[in-house]
Amino acid sequence: MTSTTVFSALAPYGWDSAWADAFTPYDAEGLLPGRVVRVDRGQCDVVTADGVVRADTAFVTPHDPMRVVCTGDWVAVEPAGHPRYVRTYLPRRTAFVRSTSSKRSEGQILAANVDHAIVAVSLAVELDLGRIERFLALAWESGAQPVVVLTKADLVPDAVTLAHLVQDVETAAPGVPVLTVSATQGDGLDVLDAVVGGGTSVLLGQSGAGKSTLANALLGEDVMEVQAARDVDGKGRHTTTTRNLLALPGGGVLIDTPGLRGVGLWDAETGVGQVFSEIEELAGRCRFHDCAHESEPGCAVLSAVEDGELPVRRLESYRKLMRENQWIVAKTDARLRAEIKRDWKRKGAEGRAAMEAKRGRWR
């Protein structure tokens, strides 16, 4: 099979000259390039120039959750044979990672080689800005460009109310495009089509956010199963149970994901900093370089809160995500754990010394 044939067959799935160059050593071994479109119970579906093949992933390190094959990976697959194995995956350009819900503090890769992370948020329920900020932190950390899509916009017919909701989200998502879409009526889909038309996009959000309906609208056909959300809380059951990679008719690739109940951070300090870029900028003006923005003198962040320049909710959300991220990193980093303990002891000693000084003045 010629390289031209491979290129034309895989280009709709994101194959380019850089991937071809990275695959050169495996081409010499007689392996086939392909992109993982679905992973299921130790096996995966891989789209190749020969079509979609089923392959076993056991050959790739199975016990490290950060190194398992995932949807969006470009892989080297053995030629026709029974069984067929994935021999390796090419170095990832980006990876969307969250922490698992297990007590082992492991990272879980949701999708690889993603250019845009589309965070779907339903307008059928009250906005949860904190959850949006959490999704965005993971998206920025992955290396992808996040986009917030407010779905079910037809349920907010008042233009003024809709504008206020968009503004609230824009405040929580500096530097991130915020789009309003009604998949059932087709409103806003042309703008979203233009975004996803170049590269690979992953669709993220809670159950009931309208992801499957949105995916079907972008695909132009009912590929993903859709279920109605509950009226009481706007939540839906998981209609998507695996991560599926789909080529879009207008160009680009879409990875649909199951609804995410838990969105734990995984070493996402840079991502958190980008979500709260205004706080990071203010922190640069603080008197002390290690200011915790709690009660320190000369804190530019607290001054901004007092002046009404920075909403209290934003600062509280920033503190929460930074603490959570520090905790998850510390659980896997013995040196950092020791540093945190020393910091706690130092602050405790300073607090006790301050109390003793106050008691001395009271006597």
Side-chain angles (χ1 to χ4, degrees):
M1 186 178 298
T2 67
S3 59
T4 303
T5 302
V6 171
F7 211 99
S8 60
L10 296 182
Y13 293 90
W15 187 254
D16 57 29
S17 57
W19 287 121
D21 290 342
F23 191 80
T24 300
Y26 307 108
D27 187 41
E29 296 179 26
L31 301 175
L32 303 178
R35 194 166 195 190
V36 178
V37 298
R38 174 189 171 101
V39 178
D40 182 23
R41 298 178 182 178
Q43 292 191 318
C44 63
D45 294 334
V46 183
V47 61
T48 71
D50 291 335
V52 178
V53 302
R54 189 74 168 165
D56 197 305
T57 63
F59 196 87
V60 182
T61 307
H63 302 301
D64 184 348
M66 297 290 284
R67 296 179 61 189
V68 297
V69 172
C70 76
T71 303
D73 272 328
W74 284 101
V75 296
V77 184
E78 292 178 343
H82 302 283
R84 217 165 184 174
Y85 286 93
V86 171
R87 290 284 296 275
T88 189
Y89 59 82
L90 300 184
R92 293 162 176 155
R93 293 178 183 175
T94 61
F96 194 95
V97 183
R98 70 166 177 175
S99 65
T100 64
S101 57
S102 70
K103 296 181 180 180
R104 291 180 294 177
S105 304
E106 295 175 335
Q108 178 190 21
I109 296 181
L110 299 181
N113 303 312
V114 172
D115 301 294
H116 297 98
I118 301 172
V119 181
V121 180
S122 173
L123 288 174
V125 294
E126 185 177 353
L127 290 176
D128 185 343
L129 298 178
R131 179 170 284 271
I132 294 174
E133 289 163 343
R134 181 179 291 271
F135 269 112
L136 292 177
L138 292 178
W140 280 123
E141 191 68 33
S142 75
Q145 166 66 52
V147 179
V148 177
V149 175
L150 302 179
T151 65
K152 309 181 184 182
D154 54 290
L155 299 181
V156 188
D158 182 66
V160 174
T161 301
L162 184 60
H164 283 308
L165 292 171
V166 171
Q167 186 177 30
D168 287 343
V169 176
E170 287 176 339
T171 301
V176 176
V178 179
L179 311 178
T180 57
V181 170
S182 171
T184 56
Q185 298 186 2
D187 297 335
L189 286 175
D190 54 341
V191 179
L192 184 57
D193 263 325
V195 172
V196 301
T200 298
S201 301
V202 62
L203 193 52
L204 306 160
Q206 288 183 282
S207 296
K211 297 189 305 302
S212 295
T213 302
L214 194 59
N216 286 336
L218 292 170
L219 289 163
E221 55 181 320
D222 292 338
V223 175
M224 310 306 297
E225 182 184 354
V226 177
Q227 291 181 354
R230 298 186 304 224
D231 290 335
V232 63
D233 57 9
K235 294 181 180 179
R237 286 173 288 178
H238 293 305
T239 53
T240 302
T241 56
T242 58
R243 288 172 280 279
N244 303 283
L245 185 146
L246 306 157
L248 297 172
V253 176
L254 182 69
I255 299 176
D256 192 21
T257 65
L260 300 175
R261 292 191 181 93
V263 193
L265 300 185
W266 178 258
D267 197 3
E269 182 176 353
T270 300
V272 173
Q274 286 181 272
V275 175
F276 298 93
S277 56
E278 80 277 33
I279 296 179
E280 296 277 297
E281 182 180 351
L282 287 166
R285 307 177 205 164
C286 292
R287 181 182 301 177
F288 305 110
H289 75 277
D290 59 347
C291 183
H293 322 306
E294 297 286 351
S295 59
E296 296 86 347
C299 176
V301 174
L302 295 179
S303 294
V305 172
E306 292 173 3
D307 295 341
E309 178 186 349
L310 177 67
V312 174
R313 190 206 67 79
R314 285 283 284 172
L315 178 56
E316 291 176 346
S317 184
Y318 172 75
R319 287 170 174 164
K320 179 181 179 179
L321 293 185
M322 288 297 282
R323 283 196 301 267
E324 178 183 328
N325 190 72
Q326 186 182 46
W327 175 246
I328 194 69
V329 173
K331 289 172 77 173
T332 58
D333 188 330
R335 180 183 58 79
L336 183 57
R337 283 201 303 273
E339 290 179 359
I340 291 175
K341 287 182 179 179
R342 284 196 296 271
D343 189 50
W344 285 345
K345 289 181 180 179
R346 178 181 60 80
K347 289 182 177 178
E350 290 174 352
R352 288 191 295 273
M355 287 300 298
E356 287 297 327
K358 286 182 180 179
R359 291 192 185 115
R361 289 196 297 271
W362 293 338
R363 289 173 186 152

